[in-house]
Amino acid sequence: MNSAHVRRLGNGFLGLAAVTWVLIAFGALVRAKKAGLACPDWPLCFGQVVPDVRLEGVIYEFGHRVLAGLVALAFTGGALAVSRTSAWPRVRPLVIVAATVLGCQIVFGGLTVLIVHKEQGVARPETWPVATHLVLGNTFAALGLLIALRLRHLAEGEPAPTGEPP
């Protein structure tokens, strides 16, 4: 096992977990600014890949989507990179669960836009997809952290966090 490469991958997943928590805070800002429906459709925004961000709230909602897309791409790249190492059998279950959670997270991100209710003539996102989106985001971030810790332990030749021998 190339321990330096595995350690770098562990550091990459650690960074991914940190950026994911920043993304969660950004999602809270979208909610606080009441910009969750600034892009009224999904996955596009006003039917465009890149909308006019000068419209009220669009910069928050679209910015959140862009950062989320970058997180998904970074995870995919990290998962592919780790799958080519000897550490793969030891992290494969965590990566598969994280990929599944990420897929669900993406779906619920879309549902927060698509499932709305009208309150005094004003459309608002339903609470249950928003809450599920938040829980899945935190779960994905935690899984990224677990993957990072497992990779770092494997790179150092220490027992994996589960107590398995190196």
Side-chain angles (χ1 to χ4, degrees):
M1 177 183 311
N2 181 343
S3 63
H5 180 61
V6 171
R7 185 179 304 106
R8 282 192 302 274
L9 286 170
N11 290 339
F13 274 96
L14 186 61
L16 180 63
V19 172
T20 301
W21 274 307
V22 168
L23 177 60
I24 292 166
F26 195 176
L29 177 65
V30 170
R31 185 88 169 152
K33 293 287 189 177
K34 296 183 173 43
L37 296 177
C39 293
D41 50 345
W42 185 87
L44 301 175
C45 183
F46 291 101
Q48 301 173 331
V49 174
V50 179
D52 181 357
V53 295
R54 294 172 295 175
L55 297 172
E56 186 176 342
V58 170
I59 190 71
Y60 299 110
E61 172 63 15
F62 184 69
H64 180 72
R65 290 183 187 191
V66 168
L67 184 55
L70 293 174
V71 165
L73 287 174
F75 172 78
T76 302
L80 289 173
V82 79
S83 74
R84 295 184 173 101
T85 70
S86 59
W88 177 241
R90 304 284 295 282
V91 296
R92 178 178 37 223
L94 285 172
V95 171
I96 290 170
V97 171
T100 302
V101 168
L102 178 60
C104 293
Q105 168 69 357
I106 291 167
V107 168
F108 274 90
L111 291 177
T112 63
V113 173
L114 299 175
I115 300 176
V116 298
H117 71 276
K118 297 250 181 181
E119 200 174 281
Q120 296 175 345
V122 177
R124 300 209 188 284
E126 284 285 348
T127 304
W128 67 269
V130 172
T132 305
H133 186 59
L134 176 61
V135 168
L136 289 168
N138 278 287
T139 303
F140 176 74
L143 286 164
L145 180 60
L146 288 174
I147 293 166
L149 293 174
R150 169 117 358 138
L151 289 170
R152 289 172 62 149
H153 279 86
L154 290 170
E156 294 166 10
E158 296 176 14
T162 61
E164 299 171 16

